[in-house]
Amino acid sequence: MKRLLVAIDGCAPSLGAAKKAIELAERYGAEVIILHVEEKTPMLPSEKTIESSMMKERVSDHPLELMAEYGKQVKVNLQLVKTQGKITGKILSVANEYMVDMIVIGDTARKGLEKLHFGSVAESVLKNSPLPVLVVKRGGVDISDIKSLAEDLNARLPGDEVESHIFYPYQESFRNNRVISFSFFGLFALVYFSTAIINSTTYQSVAAVPVAGIPLGVLAGFSVFPIALALCGVYLKTGGKQ
């Protein structure tokens, strides 16, 4: 076992799972990836009521920063990842991306209306993950040391201050897609303006050169549209899609 992934949200059950993952990493000499997924979805009034009641379990508003501090305390190197999207889907995609050997997740033990509205991430990951999943039950790990550390950190990090050592895959994806977009735009601009120059008055003799019985200028003009379609297709296949 070389790499573990644990998803956290700042609440006690997930922090217990994180501590268990770190203990396993220490035992097997494995690397731990700490993932925090922001799921921004509109809520019904009843859902907001349930969510606010569950906030009582929240230990920290800065879960990744908290685990970074805890990692330093226990001398375990942690990789911190933050992203946005559907929680289960992101857990599985990050696990695949980082080629982890096991997913560790905390069980919130939701019942009744809580489970009806929010479901169970642990259950969903168990059903859909091709990898081994360790579910840490609520209260199964003593996190008093993490809670103590969180109190100090919450006082030092008010609001939404974020540490620079956290990796944001969706921002990296945006930067990569922007480079790809400009590259393909540059290729299309090159084709378009080359065609315009060939068909200009200055280069009439070049435009009149026959290629397969068709004047070069006419052939270049008709080729702009199919070239644009081809570039769009290649762009989508090489990462243009989010």
Side-chain angles (χ1 to χ4, degrees):
M1 189 162 53
K2 297 180 180 179
R3 191 170 293 162
L4 303 172
L5 172 68
V6 57
I8 62 173
D9 59 5
C11 292
S14 70
L15 296 178
K19 184 173 180 178
K20 174 57 70 175
I22 290 172
E23 290 174 352
L24 289 172
E26 288 180 301
R27 185 183 305 171
Y28 295 103
E31 178 186 2
V32 180
I33 298 167
I34 307 287
L35 171 66
H36 176 48
V37 182
E38 288 185 344
E39 187 177 38
K40 297 182 178 179
T41 56
M43 291 186 180
L44 297 171
S46 58
E47 291 175 321
K48 290 180 180 179
T49 301
I50 296 172
E51 177 74 1
S52 62
S53 68
M54 293 173 60
M55 290 295 285
K56 296 176 182 178
E57 283 199 321
R58 184 171 291 279
V59 175
S60 174
D61 292 325
H62 310 278
L64 289 179
E65 291 83 358
L66 173 60
M67 294 316 301
E69 290 288 330
Y70 184 73
K72 292 176 184 176
Q73 196 174 83
V74 298
K75 298 180 180 179
V76 173
N77 186 33
L78 307 176
Q79 185 167 354
L80 309 177
V81 179
K82 186 173 184 178
T83 188
Q84 293 178 338
K86 296 296 183 181
I87 296 176
T88 300
K90 285 297 181 180
I91 291 173
L92 297 179
S93 65
V94 171
N96 180 65
E97 179 183 352
Y98 284 85
M99 296 182 289
V100 304
D101 300 297
M102 178 184 287
I103 298 172
V104 183
I105 194 164
D107 184 11
T108 57
R110 288 173 178 160
K111 297 178 181 179
L113 287 176
E114 288 185 2
K115 189 167 184 178
L116 177 64
H117 282 291
F118 294 99
S120 170
V121 174
E123 182 180 351
S124 182
V125 172
L126 273 171
K127 287 182 178 179
N128 295 284
S129 175
L131 301 169
V133 179
L134 173 63
V135 179
V136 181
K137 290 186 177 181
R138 181 201 298 255
V141 177
D142 178 16
I143 60 168
S144 56
D145 51 347
I146 294 180
K147 287 182 176 180
S148 177
L149 188 61
E151 290 177 3
D152 177 59
L153 190 66
N154 289 339
R156 291 191 286 114
L157 290 178
D160 296 322
E161 185 177 338
V162 176
E163 294 288 341
S164 59
H165 53 257
I166 298 174
F167 177 58
Y168 297 81
Y170 59 91
Q171 290 184 356
E172 187 68 23
S173 175
F174 173 77
R175 286 193 290 268
N176 290 340
N177 288 342
R178 185 168 57 182
V179 171
I180 293 172
S181 298
F182 279 114
S183 299
F184 278 93
F185 177 77
L187 286 173
F188 176 72
L190 178 64
V191 172
Y192 178 83
F193 286 110
S194 296
T195 301
I197 291 171
I198 289 174
N199 284 284
S200 66
T201 305
T202 307
Y203 295 96
Q204 283 183 346
S205 58
V206 176
V209 173
V211 177
I214 302 174
L216 179 60
V218 175
L219 186 64
F222 278 114
S223 68
V224 171
F225 183 67
I227 288 175
L229 287 179
L231 286 174
C232 285
V234 175
Y235 167 71
L236 293 175
K237 288 181 179 179
T238 54
K241 294 188 291 185
Q242 290 287 350

